[in-house]
């Protein structure tokens, strides 16, 4: 899973670089594939700085919590089989809760540091949550309703003949992508980080292993969200197979599908300028949330 | 969404990046790079020393008379010295990567 | 109430050292002040110790991006004092290089704006295309940025037909790209969302605050030194002074993009109509300038650039003074940041700041006005504060 996270970061960087007529990571490993790992190792070796006046406990616990939470969430995502590594009753809801909890760790890490930039970043992250959480939840839950259960395995199994994206769920997929983009703090919605405005927002006081953990957690989140989109809308790891070769083909299908989702997310991040916080909230409440609710109610009605 | 066409088009284009240490473009003929100096042609008039805006040229006596010494690390590549040199003893050059770890490499005599 | 947020002197908003002191309530800016005294380099004082010709190369280094404007202004000033006029061909060549510099400066700015609003793709693509202009500069003048092209009495290098052809074809290609970017800025919803109605500076306010350059022109003031006080062959080369009435950051972006297109046309026209003849009048490397005072004005990419020289008859200036466009626009910047009648969000600060195309190393040269204490810090004070 960790390898997958690093691979996804590399793919994201390489693809965006290609879209922008650049090269991207190149020197570490074949085609620069080890660059994310090298970045992590380098960050881990950096001097550990805790600014004066920091709430040290929160500051230390948040990065660890973030990584752990996302590991747990990722374990539920079906990758090599219809079921994930972990399986529980209603694991879709567990994942959604974890995504919210993860944002809480961001908020707490940002507000634990005394810097005004990080405080502003944390506040922005919290405000953004108001905007994109409902679309994220409802677009995923609608799929659950359509599948008749909130277990990812059930949802995936339901798509044996036809993935959900073919049909009315295309809107849900689009909504999910936009919300995921906001959740990942990728470009049109990188408001809490906003390098040119508040330096790096909530990340600014993090250093050494804390920064490494948070960056790694972002990669894990990338895997989680593209994996989740795959499971919810693209039929997870299933696809046409030659009997007996499922073990081999299913992971490949999963990779292909989730990487396509990743590419969509990366493409989205090259198309726009970062919008302002108030504009983001307006966008969400004026267009995205009504659309989500309409979609959700329509799904309920159909079911 | 206007950007969509441009970025997708880039998928099929080569990179714009020049992978610098491996591929080095050659500068145009007019390029002002590290200058060269032919001591034998010099008559020691000291004009270059007087015009240099960056005081990168020192005069040094080598027995035959005062001869200029060029300190490339101070040079601003304006080529004023080349322009004023009456015997064309100072030569234009095209080398642009003049970084070195030995300061003596940067002295042209 | 409100929190004080320092933006600078080290901040990703701008590579140069400037401090914007923002007072922020939530996401809104309620007060702002600016301190640009971090990069004083004492260039004007140093000029007094250089000969007139050596000074030219120092003046070029006041600012990397507008070095052509600075050297044009300096040579015009010295030529005026000397009573020498550059040959017509040299003036055409100066104009070509000046407009090339304008193109690359405006494209740099456009990329910077894209970066400031987080539009990384536009940033990358604009910089990719700007590189071609720099290559042209390199071929024509011998260097990418510090051109050392102008010299008292003319220019140093002639343009040959092969190079002329390359300039034409590159610019033709560039025109297409710039038109594409113009369309993008005009229509892209996210760019519009970030720039339209941001950093409003009404016409009357721009006049009152003496804004110059694209900032003034985007507020509807038709003022361009090239048109109002032609200093090269601007009266022979036709061009439009681009003005817009939008008075916002978007307007400033559009004015600059349109000016790039105008500059391309000007270069094409100049190359068509350039007369043959000498490119330089010989002036000895060390010369004396008759006593007197002189001024010169040039339309730098960022606005009006003003040089003043005083000679006491020796081979060195007695006093040299420059007023750069950014200094003229700083007052407008502070006004835009703290105007009470419109909400200014923290996210707008980079856009407003970027929209005046600030160049700090030009600006912080001789003295610093301390607005609150109304105290003028002079060279000596600066030296003292450094020594502390």
């Amino acid at each position: 899973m960790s390898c997958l996270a690093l691979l996804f970061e590399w793919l994201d960087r390489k693809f965006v670089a290609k879209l922008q007529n650049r090269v991207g990571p190149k020197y570490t490993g074949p085609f620069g594939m080890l660059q994310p790992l090298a970045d992590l190792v380098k960050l881990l070796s950096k001097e550990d700085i805790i600014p004066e006046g920091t709430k040290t406990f929160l500051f230390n616990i948040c990065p660890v919590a973030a990584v752990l939470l996302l590991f747990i969430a990722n374990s539920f995502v079906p990758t090599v089989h219809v079921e994930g590594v972990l399986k529980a009753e209603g694991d879709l809801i567990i994942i959604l809760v974890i995504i919210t909890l993860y944002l809480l760790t961001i908020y707490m890490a940002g507000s634990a540091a005394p810097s005004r930039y990080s405080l502003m970043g944390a506040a922005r992250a919290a405000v953004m949550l108001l905007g994109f959480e409902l679309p994220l939840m409802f677009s995923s839950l609608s799929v659950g309703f359509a599948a008749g259960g909130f277990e990812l395995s059930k949802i995936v199994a339901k798509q044996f003949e036809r993935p959900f994206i073919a049909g009315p769920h295309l809107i849900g997929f689009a909504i999910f992508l936009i919300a995921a983009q906001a959740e990942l703090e990728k470009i049109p919605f990188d408001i809490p980080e906003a390098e040119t405005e508040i330096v790096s927002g909530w990340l600014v006081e993090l250093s050494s292993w804390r920064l490494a953990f948070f960056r790694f957690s972002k990669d894990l989140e990338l895997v989680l969200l593209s994996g989740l989109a795959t499971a919810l809308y693209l039929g997870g790891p299933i696809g046409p197979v030659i009997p007996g070769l499922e073990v081999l083909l299913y992971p490949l299908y999963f990779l292909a599908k989730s990487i396509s989702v990743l590419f969509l997310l990366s493409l989205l991040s090259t198309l726009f300028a970062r919008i302002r916080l108030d504009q983001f909230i307006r966008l969400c409440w004026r267009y995205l949330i009504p659309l989500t609710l309409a979609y959700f109610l329509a799904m309920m009605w159909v079911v | 969404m206007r950007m969509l066409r441009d970025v997708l088009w880039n998928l099929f284009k080569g990179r714009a990046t020049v992978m610098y240490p491996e591929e080095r473009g050659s500068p145009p003929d007019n390029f002002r790079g590290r200058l060269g100096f032919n001591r034998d042609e010099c008559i020691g008039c000291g004009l270059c020393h007087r015009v240099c805006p960056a005081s990168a040229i020192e005069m040094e006596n080598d027995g035959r008379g005062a001869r200029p010494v060029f300190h490339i690390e101070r040079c601003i590549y304006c080529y004023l010295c080349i322009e004023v040199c009456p015997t064309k003893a100072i030569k234009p050059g095209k080398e642009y990567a003049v970084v070195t770890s030995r300061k003596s490499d940067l002295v042209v005599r | 109430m409100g929190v004080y947020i320092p933006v600078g002197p080290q901040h990703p908003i701008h590579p140069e050292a400037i401090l914007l002191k923002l007072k922020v309530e939530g996401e809104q800016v309620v007060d702002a002040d600016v301190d640009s005294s971090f990069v004083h380099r004492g260039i004007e004082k140093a000029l007094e110790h250089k000969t007139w010709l050596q000074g030219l190369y120092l003046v070029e280094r006041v600012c990397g991006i507008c070095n052509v404007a600075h050297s044009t202004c300096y040579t015009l000033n010295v030529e005026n004092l000397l009573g020498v006029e550059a040959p017509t061909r040299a003036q055409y060549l100066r104009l070509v290089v000046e407009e090339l510099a304008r193109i690359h400066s405006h494209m740099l700015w456009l990329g910077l704006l894209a970066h400031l609003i987080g539009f990384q793709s536009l940033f990358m693509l604009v910089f990719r295309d700007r590189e071609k202009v720099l290559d042209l500069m390199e071929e024509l003048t011998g260097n990418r940025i510090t051109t050392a092209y102008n010299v008292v009495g003319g220019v140093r290098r002639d343009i040959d037909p092969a190079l002329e052809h390359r300039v034409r074809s590159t610019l033709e290609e560039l025109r297409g790209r710039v038109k594409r970017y113009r369309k993008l800025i005009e229509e892209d919803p996210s760019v519009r969302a970030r720039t339209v109605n941001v950093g409003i500076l009404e016409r009357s306010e721009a006049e009152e605050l003496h804004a110059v350059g694209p900032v003034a022109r985007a507020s509807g003031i038709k003022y361009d030194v090239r048109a109002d006080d032609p200093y090269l062959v601007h009266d022979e080369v036709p061009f439009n002074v681009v003005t817009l009435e939008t008075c916002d950051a978007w307007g400033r972006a559009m004015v600059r993009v349109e000016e790039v297109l105008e500059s391309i046309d000007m270069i094409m026209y100049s190359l068509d109509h350039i007369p043959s003849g000498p490119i330089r009048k010989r002036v000895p490397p060390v010369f004396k300038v008759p006593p007197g005072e002189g001024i010169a004005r040039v339309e730098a990419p960022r606005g009006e650039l003003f040089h003043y020289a005083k000679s006491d008859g020796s081979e060195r200036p007695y006093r040299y003074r420059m007023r750069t466009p950014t200094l003229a626009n700083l007052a407008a910047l502070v006004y835009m940041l703290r105007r009470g009648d419109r909400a200014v969000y923290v996210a707008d600060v980079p856009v407003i700041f970027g929209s005046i195309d600030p160049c700090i190393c030009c600006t912080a040269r001789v003295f610093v006005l301390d607005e609150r204490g109304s105290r003028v810090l002079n060279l000596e004070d600066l030296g003292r504060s450094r020594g502390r």
Side-chain angles (χ1 to χ4, degrees), chain C residues 235-282:
Chain C
D235 34 4
E236 293 172 28
V237 180
F239 68 102
N240 298 322
V241 177
V242 186
T243 52
L244 277 179
E245 307 282 339
T246 56
C247 309
D248 55 4
W250 182 83
R252 277 159 228 151
M254 283 309 284
V255 163
R256 286 190 175 100
V257 174
E258 295 282 355
E259 274 182 18
V260 170
L261 295 172
E262 282 295 325
S263 295
I264 293 177
D265 286 340
M266 283 170 83
I267 294 174
M268 294 295 190
Y269 183 91
S270 311
L271 290 179
D272 285 336
H273 293 81
I274 189 164
S276 55
I279 57 161
R280 184 171 180 182
K281 280 206 182 103
R282 274 288 153 189

Side-chain angles (χ1 to χ4, degrees), chain C residues 37-243:
Chain C
S37 60
F38 294 92
V39 282
H40 173 77
R41 294 180 293 165
I43 282 190
E44 287 178 12
K45 191 71 190 165
L47 274 173
E48 294 168 17
H49 300 279
K50 300 274 175 201
T51 62
W52 287 99
L53 188 58
Q54 286 174 345
L56 174 58
Y57 299 94
L58 188 57
V59 163
E60 265 194 349
R61 281 157 179 81
V62 168
C63 170
I65 305 299
C66 15
N67 78 82
V68 177
H70 274 285
S71 72
T72 312
C73 204
Y74 185 88
T75 44
L76 286 172
N77 204 354
V78 177
E79 280 166 11
N80 266 344
L81 284 171
L82 274 177
V84 178
E85 205 191 346
T88 322
R89 186 175 173 84
Q91 297 209 14
Y92 268 96
L93 285 172
R94 275 182 188 175
L95 189 136
V96 167
V97 173
E98 191 191 25
E99 295 307 319
L100 273 179
R102 193 181 315 278
I103 293 173
H104 98 71
S105 171
H106 281 351
M107 290 192 76
L108 175 105
W109 179 84
L110 184 59
L112 232 112
L113 176 81
H115 172 66
L116 289 177
I117 61 176
F119 203 155
Q120 295 303 333
S121 312
L122 182 59
F123 166 59
M124 295 293 172
L125 297 187
V126 168
F127 267 56
R128 178 194 69 193
D129 295 332
R130 171 178 175 262
E131 204 61 22
K132 292 176 190 144
V133 185
L134 290 177
D135 286 346
L136 284 184
M137 286 285 254
E138 192 178 28
E139 287 191 55
L140 183 56
T141 69
N143 218 329
R144 285 155 52 90
I145 302 286
T146 37
T147 52
Y149 191 64
N150 293 314
V151 73
V152 177
V155 293
R156 291 175 74 179
R157 278 167 190 191
D158 208 348
I159 188 168
D160 59 26
L163 179 55
E164 192 186 318
H165 180 74
R166 274 203 296 285
V167 172
R168 278 174 202 276
S169 58
T170 312
L171 288 183
E172 225 26 92
E173 196 184 323
L174 198 69
R175 199 204 304 265
R177 296 299 311 168
V178 173
K179 281 194 173 147
R180 179 104 193 101
Y181 297 135
R182 179 175 69 181
K183 203 160 170 116
L184 200 122
I185 295 172
E186 257 175 1
E187 291 172 8
D188 188 274
S190 60
V191 173
R192 285 190 71 98
R194 289 303 303 278
T195 51
V196 171
N197 279 330
V198 168
I200 292 283
L201 190 70
E202 305 285 353
R203 187 189 168 121
S204 57
E205 294 157 353
E207 278 169 354
E208 205 174 307
L209 295 162
H210 302 291
V212 294
V215 180
R217 289 197 283 275
S219 296
I221 303 173
K222 204 174 169 76
Y223 177 67
D224 188 321
V225 186
R226 290 176 294 169
D228 297 335
D229 180 15
Y231 47 92
L232 295 173
V233 282
H234 293 110
D235 34 4
E236 293 172 28
V237 180
F239 68 102
N240 298 322
V241 177
V242 186
T243 52

Side-chain angles (χ1 to χ4, degrees), chain A residues 239-259:
Chain A
V241 284
I242 311 146
L245 279 178
E246 283 102 332
V247 191
L248 199 67
L249 282 176
Y250 275 0
L252 282 183
Y253 279 133
F254 173 76
L255 267 185
K257 285 174 181 173
S258 55
I259 287 174

Side-chain angles (χ1 to χ4, degrees), chain B residues 52-83:
Chain B
C52 182
S55 315
I57 306 176
E58 283 174 1
M59 295 306 279
E60 194 184 70
N61 203 319
D62 69 342
R64 281 183 293 173
R67 291 290 183 267
V69 177
F70 303 87
H71 295 272
I72 300 295
E73 82 276 15
R74 274 188 247 158
C75 178
I76 60 170
Y77 304 97
C78 66
Y79 274 25
L80 215 54
C81 48
I82 294 182
E83 224 168 67

Side-chain angles (χ1 to χ4, degrees), chain C residues 200-386:
Chain C
I200 292 283
L201 190 70
E202 305 285 353
R203 187 189 168 121
S204 57
E205 294 157 353
E207 278 169 354
E208 205 174 307
L209 295 162
H210 302 291
V212 294
V215 180
R217 289 197 283 275
S219 296
I221 303 173
K222 204 174 169 76
Y223 177 67
D224 188 321
V225 186
R226 290 176 294 169
D228 297 335
D229 180 15
Y231 47 92
L232 295 173
V233 282
H234 293 110
D235 34 4
E236 293 172 28
V237 180
F239 68 102
N240 298 322
V241 177
V242 186
T243 52
L244 277 179
E245 307 282 339
T246 56
C247 309
D248 55 4
W250 182 83
R252 277 159 228 151
M254 283 309 284
V255 163
R256 286 190 175 100
V257 174
E258 295 282 355
E259 274 182 18
V260 170
L261 295 172
E262 282 295 325
S263 295
I264 293 177
D265 286 340
M266 283 170 83
I267 294 174
M268 294 295 190
Y269 183 91
S270 311
L271 290 179
D272 285 336
H273 293 81
I274 189 164
S276 55
I279 57 161
R280 184 171 180 182
K281 280 206 182 103
R282 274 288 153 189
V283 175
V286 180
F287 52 86
K288 287 194 167 129
V289 168
E293 292 173 291
I295 60 159
R297 293 192 296 169
V298 157
E299 183 73 19
R302 293 174 168 85
E304 180 190 5
L305 171 69
F306 177 90
H307 277 203
Y308 163 84
K310 184 171 185 181
S311 165
D312 58 356
S314 69
E315 62 257 25
R316 291 164 217 275
Y318 176 75
R319 177 81 177 91
Y320 207 87
R321 171 89 184 98
M322 298 166 243
R323 199 217 46 185
T324 53
T326 306
L327 188 70
N329 281 334
L330 274 185
L333 168 69
V334 176
Y335 183 78
M336 283 188 277
L337 283 177
R338 67 170 171 209
R339 57 184 307 151
D341 53 344
R342 273 165 204 279
V344 173
Y345 295 95
V346 174
D348 291 337
V349 172
V351 183
I352 297 175
F353 178 70
S355 73
I356 69 159
D357 197 358
C359 177
I360 310 308
C361 65
C362 296
T363 306
R365 264 175 307 93
V366 164
F367 59 75
V368 184
L369 276 167
D370 192 333
E371 277 187 28
R372 281 146 308 152
S374 66
R375 193 166 70 98
V376 181
L377 303 175
N378 57 19
L379 261 176
E380 224 169 287
D381 287 334
L382 282 171
R384 209 176 296 142
S385 63
R386 288 280 149 78

Side-chain angles (χ1 to χ4, degrees), chain A residues 94-156:
Chain A
I94 297 179
I95 291 181
L96 290 176
V97 168
I98 285 181
I99 288 175
T100 311
L101 278 180
Y102 171 66
L103 264 156
L104 202 62
T105 64
I106 285 183
Y107 176 74
M108 288 199 295
S111 54
S115 163
R116 286 158 205 165
Y117 296 127
S118 77
L119 200 62
M120 269 188 100
R124 283 178 171 199
V127 174
M128 270 184 68
L129 189 65
L130 298 176
F132 71 80
E133 198 182 21
L134 281 177
L136 190 70
M137 295 242 160
F138 278 97
S139 58
S140 345
L141 291 183
S142 316
V143 177
F145 276 112
F150 295 114
E151 287 84 56
L152 282 173
S153 53
K154 214 178 240 175
I155 293 172
V156 170

Side-chain angles (χ1 to χ4, degrees), chain A residues 47-295:
Chain A
E47 184 193 354
D48 186 13
I49 299 166
I50 299 181
E52 212 170 293
T54 308
K55 299 177 189 81
T56 324
F57 177 70
L58 273 183
F59 208 51
N60 284 333
I61 204 86
C62 282
V64 183
V67 172
L68 280 181
L69 280 174
L70 286 172
F71 263 120
I72 296 170
N74 265 323
S75 317
F76 286 109
V77 177
T79 47
V80 291
H81 196 57
V82 215
E83 292 168 7
V85 181
L86 292 178
K87 188 173 171 276
E89 195 90 352
D91 44 15
L92 175 61
I93 297 184
I94 297 179
I95 291 181
L96 290 176
V97 168
I98 285 181
I99 288 175
T100 311
L101 278 180
Y102 171 66
L103 264 156
L104 202 62
T105 64
I106 285 183
Y107 176 74
M108 288 199 295
S111 54
S115 163
R116 286 158 205 165
Y117 296 127
S118 77
L119 200 62
M120 269 188 100
R124 283 178 171 199
V127 174
M128 270 184 68
L129 189 65
L130 298 176
F132 71 80
E133 198 182 21
L134 281 177
L136 190 70
M137 295 242 160
F138 278 97
S139 58
S140 345
L141 291 183
S142 316
V143 177
F145 276 112
F150 295 114
E151 287 84 56
L152 282 173
S153 53
K154 214 178 240 175
I155 293 172
V156 170
K158 196 85 178 173
Q159 305 178 61
F160 253 117
E161 286 101 58
R162 198 167 70 132
F164 277 139
I165 190 171
H169 287 288
L170 188 59
I171 307 169
F173 183 62
I175 295 171
F176 185 88
L177 274 191
I178 294 174
Q181 192 83 352
E183 165 76 39
L184 286 164
E185 298 176 2
K186 275 159 94 60
I187 266 177
F189 310 127
D190 61 341
I191 304 165
E193 284 174 23
E195 193 203 356
T196 45
E197 291 156 22
I198 46 173
V199 192
S200 278
W202 58 273
L203 281 164
V204 73
E205 293 297 347
L206 298 164
S207 59
S208 183
W209 64 270
R210 292 183 195 84
L211 184 56
F213 272 41
F214 262 119
R215 282 199 45 174
F216 186 56
S217 75
K218 277 274 161 222
D219 299 344
L220 284 172
E221 202 186 15
L222 200 58
V223 178
L224 173 66
L225 287 171
S226 35
L228 197 59
T230 312
L232 291 178
Y233 300 97
L234 303 177
I238 56 175
V241 284
I242 311 146
L245 279 178
E246 283 102 332
V247 191
L248 199 67
L249 282 176
Y250 275 0
L252 282 183
Y253 279 133
F254 173 76
L255 267 185
K257 285 174 181 173
S258 55
I259 287 174
S260 335
V261 175
L262 170 74
F263 279 174
L264 274 179
L265 288 171
S266 310
L267 179 65
L268 215 56
S269 76
T270 61
L271 292 182
F272 298 105
R274 181 195 313 124
I275 57 175
R276 229 160 46 201
L277 186 60
D278 58 315
Q279 288 164 345
F280 173 73
I281 297 297
R282 207 173 302 141
L283 174 86
C284 283
W285 283 91
R286 205 171 272 172
Y287 305 106
L288 208 54
I289 289 178
L291 187 67
T292 320
L293 286 181
Y295 161 68

